[in-house]
């Protein structure tokens, strides 16, 4: 079987700090059973063919309109030409938040194709502000937003909505769609009820499986709370965790909140939401308590998780949440917002603890509970790690993916014979 991927991930040898890097270990495992070709976009003038281990990889120049959701005629032509050269049995499109799915909608792929939903745009729009009040949203408007109104949260939400409209149009044309969670399935059943839906599994980055399990650390006045996001975006809820830490500071004067990811977004001028986060740090006198770690690779994330007392995932919406799964598999006691698909990843009170997304008092209370209860912390650690080892098992992930490929091809064959 020959499968061709359309993805945003270029496979490389070094550890990366970008989102979507979990696709590479999946590709490496699958390549032992099938012939795999990856098409991805890059800063190149013409298509470049290379090899990563035993995977053929095309890096192509791309152009897209409608905020990156619509592939240009040139991009469609390049992809169509490569597909004709490679002659795959199946095309696997990863994600809806970009232009790859539009290539199928435009009729440029004439072999069996299925879509794998990762993040989603349209339903995220409803949660874009992350529970911020109108006053707080206006407090995120600074010089950059005055000079460039398109950088305000109001406009960014509108862009998300428009991209979501294009995303929905793309989803509606697919006959075969894979989903990572029941939450995503529920959404798809209303957007495209005619599609055949396939439950899939997520393979984590390789180092997480081999990581040494988190061990309980005695709590003094300087416990460490870890959280991560790819970038400071309002619906990721970083303002909630900062507020929670402000409540805990009286009890733990030297508490540390370590935030991984690009928190200070912007070069010459910071984005307003980043400025807002910094203003919260200053308002609550947390300059010595909140530490921005920047983008981290997988080994660095594991190290931070192992050296933390607790991990908090404050996002307002997730289709799955790899950060949650990675924290659990390391064994770090994890507290998460009860939102989107995240409640599907763990049983409350046994494998993780959940709180209402906007309730930073409840979040702070759960952090304190984990810090004060060694038995609870160790129980969450053990049970969370066991569940992730089972549900994200490498062999199970590969088996499921291969079964999906075979089932899609079988369904396509049966339809063609009708």
């Amino acid at each position: 079987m020959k499968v061709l991927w359309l993805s945003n991930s270029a496979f490389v040898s070094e550890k990366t700090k970008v989102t979507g890097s979990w696709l590479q270990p999946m590709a490496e495992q699958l390549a032992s059973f099938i012939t795999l070709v990856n098409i991805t976009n890059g800063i190149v003038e013409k298509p470049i063919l290379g090899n990563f281990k035993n995977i053929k990889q095309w890096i192509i120049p791309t152009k897209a309109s409608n905020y990156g959701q619509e592939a240009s005629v040139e991009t469609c032509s390049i992809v169509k030409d490569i597909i004709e050269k490679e002659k795959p049995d199946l095309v696997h499109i990863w994600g809806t938040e970009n232009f790859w799915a539009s290539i199928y909608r435009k009729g440029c792929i004439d072999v069996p194709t299925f879509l794998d939903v990762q993040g989603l745009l349209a339903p995220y729009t409803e949660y874009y502000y992350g529970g911020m009040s109108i006053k707080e949203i206006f407090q995120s408007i600074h010089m950059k937003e005055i000079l460039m109104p398109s950088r305000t949260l109001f406009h960014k939400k509108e862009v998300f909505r428009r991209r979501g409209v294009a995303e929905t149009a793309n989803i509606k044309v697919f006959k075969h769609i894979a989903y990572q969670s029941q939450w995503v399935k529920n959404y798809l059943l209303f957007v495209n009820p005619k599609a055949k839906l396939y439950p899939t599994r997520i393979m984590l980055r390789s180092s997480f499986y081999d990581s040494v399990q988190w061990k309980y650390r005695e709590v003094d006045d300087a416990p460490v709370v870890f959280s991560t996001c790819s970038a400071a975006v309002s619906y990721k809820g970083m303002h909630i965790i900062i507020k929670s830490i402000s409540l805990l500071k009286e009890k733990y004067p030297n508490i540390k909140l370590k935030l991984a990811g690009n928190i200070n977004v912007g070069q010459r001028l910071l984005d307003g939401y980043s400025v807002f986060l910094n203003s919260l740090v200053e308002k609550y006198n947390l300059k010595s308590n909140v530490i921005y770690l920047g983008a981290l690779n997988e080994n660095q994330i594991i190290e931070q998780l192992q050296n933390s007392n607790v991990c908090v995932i404050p996002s307002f919406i997730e289709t799955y949440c790899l950060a949650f799964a990675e924290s659990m598999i390391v064994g770090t006691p994890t507290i998460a917002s009860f939102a989107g698909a995240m409640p599907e990843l763990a049983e409350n009170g046994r494998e993780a603890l959940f709180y209402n997304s906007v309730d930073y008092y409840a979040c702070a209370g759960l952090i304190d509970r984990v810090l004060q209860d060694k038995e609870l912390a160790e129980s969450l650690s053990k049970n969370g790690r066991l569940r992730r080892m089972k549900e994200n098992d490498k062999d199970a992930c590969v088996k499921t993916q291969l079964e999906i490929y075979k089932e899609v091809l079988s369904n396509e064959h049966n339809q063609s014979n009708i």
Side-chain angles (χ1 to χ4, degrees):
M1 183 191 302
K2 187 174 187 178
V3 180
L4 183 145
W5 284 10
L6 298 180
S7 78
N8 283 338
S9 296
F11 305 145
V12 294
S13 299
E14 64 270 15
K15 303 289 185 182
T16 64
K17 302 178 180 180
V18 298
T19 58
S21 54
W22 62 273
L23 287 181
Q24 183 168 314
M26 172 68 90
E28 292 179 29
Q29 294 288 323
L30 285 172
S32 298
F33 301 92
I34 61 174
T35 301
L36 189 60
V37 181
N38 184 46
I39 299 180
T40 189
N41 53 317
I43 304 175
V44 293
E45 294 183 358
K46 60 181 181 180
I48 296 176
L49 174 61
N51 287 286
F52 173 79
K53 298 183 178 180
N54 56 339
I55 302 170
K56 187 182 290 187
Q57 182 164 246
W58 290 87
I59 300 178
I60 67 172
T62 56
K63 293 181 180 179
S65 59
N66 195 13
Y67 303 103
Q69 293 301 119
E70 294 288 322
S72 66
V73 173
E74 296 87 347
T75 298
C76 289
S77 178
I78 290 172
V79 171
K80 185 176 181 179
D81 288 345
I82 293 176
I83 290 175
E84 290 176 352
K85 289 178 182 178
E86 295 292 346
K87 295 180 172 55
D89 299 297
L90 181 68
V91 171
H92 183 171
I93 297 177
W94 288 97
T96 60
E97 315 100 311
N98 49 55
F99 56 83
W100 297 114
S102 71
I103 298 174
Y104 177 79
R105 196 194 79 240
K106 294 181 178 184
C108 298
I109 303 175
D110 58 1
V111 298
T113 303
F114 87 99
L115 174 68
D116 207 309
V117 174
Q118 296 177 288
L120 285 166
L121 298 167
Y124 278 36
T125 303
E126 301 297 324
Y127 304 90
Y128 193 86
Y129 296 142
M132 294 172 67
S133 67
I134 291 296
K135 180 181 178 181
E136 289 177 325
I137 294 171
F138 276 103
Q139 286 175 343
S140 72
I141 298 176
H142 296 273
M143 182 60 70
K144 187 173 187 176
E145 287 71 31
I146 293 172
L147 295 174
M148 295 180 289
S150 63
R151 301 301 300 174
T152 65
L153 290 180
F154 297 114
H155 192 269
K156 287 181 178 180
K157 180 180 178 180
E158 175 60 18
V159 170
F160 237 67
R161 186 195 67 79
R162 294 177 186 178
R163 291 176 64 199
V165 171
E167 172 191 70
T168 301
N170 290 333
I171 291 174
K172 286 179 177 293
V173 302
F174 281 88
K175 295 185 290 182
H176 308 281
I177 307 176
Y179 62 90
Q180 302 168 351
S181 64
Q182 183 64 41
W183 187 88
V184 172
K185 182 181 181 181
N186 293 341
Y187 177 75
L188 293 173
L189 287 171
F190 290 98
V191 175
N192 186 350
K194 295 182 179 180
K196 172 68 175 175
L197 303 180
Y198 306 81
T200 189
R201 292 176 181 265
I202 300 295
M203 183 179 292
L204 305 181
R205 292 178 285 184
S206 300
S207 298
F208 285 92
Y209 294 96
D210 303 323
S211 63
V212 176
Q213 183 172 351
W214 174 92
K215 293 183 180 179
Y216 179 81
R217 303 170 65 210
E218 291 297 330
V219 176
D220 49 21
D221 70 343
V224 178
V225 179
F226 178 75
S227 191
T228 180
C229 64
S230 57
V233 184
S234 47
Y235 61 81
K236 290 295 183 179
M238 289 295 123
H239 51 285
I240 297 295
I241 184 62
I242 290 174
K243 291 178 181 179
S244 295
I245 295 301
S246 74
L247 298 175
L248 291 162
K249 184 174 180 178
E250 183 175 351
K251 186 171 184 177
Y252 307 99
N254 296 309
I255 190 172
K256 302 297 182 206
L257 171 61
K258 295 187 176 182
L259 298 177
N262 186 15
I263 305 300
N264 281 324
V265 178
Q267 296 178 349
R268 294 183 179 180
L269 291 173
L270 290 181
D271 273 16
Y273 180 67
S274 294
V275 176
F276 173 68
L277 293 180
N278 292 334
S279 70
L280 287 180
V281 170
E282 185 171 348
K283 174 183 177 180
Y284 296 120
N285 192 27
L286 297 173
K287 286 187 176 181
S288 62
N289 304 96
V290 177
I291 301 169
Y292 296 164
L293 300 173
L296 304 180
N297 64 33
E298 59 191 91
N299 289 331
Q300 292 169 325
I301 290 175
I302 291 169
E303 182 180 3
Q304 291 297 329
L305 286 168
Q306 290 171 334
N307 292 325
S308 298
N309 296 94
V310 62
C311 175
V312 178
I313 310 294
S315 182
F316 276 70
I317 188 74
E318 294 285 350
T319 54
Y320 181 81
C321 193
L322 280 167
F324 192 177
E326 289 174 348
S327 177
M328 288 177 68
I329 204 167
V330 172
T332 308
T334 307
I335 297 167
S337 165
F338 194 92
M342 289 194 288
E344 299 177 41
L345 271 68
E347 180 184 337
N348 186 37
R350 174 178 168 79
E351 297 155 341
L353 299 176
F354 291 95
Y355 68 95
N356 183 299
S357 306
V358 297
D359 194 344
Y360 57 91
Y361 281 90
C363 180
L366 292 179
I367 293 172
D368 185 44
R369 183 180 166 194
V370 171
L371 295 178
Q372 293 297 318
D373 191 335
K374 178 182 178 181
E375 184 178 348
L376 172 63
E378 292 182 333
S379 176
L380 294 174
S381 174
K382 176 185 175 181
N383 294 331
R385 182 174 171 89
L386 286 173
R387 178 158 179 177
R388 288 301 112 225
M389 284 293 190
K390 180 181 179 181
E391 293 187 356
N392 300 95
D393 176 74
K394 287 184 180 181
D395 292 338
C397 290
V398 170
K399 181 182 179 182
T400 299
Q401 196 64 69
L402 291 172
E403 288 174 348
I404 291 174
Y405 289 157
K406 292 175 183 177
E407 190 174 353
V408 171
L409 289 174
S410 176
N411 289 335
E412 281 286 317
H413 177 74
N414 293 336
Q415 289 178 7
S416 66
N417 291 333
I418 296 176

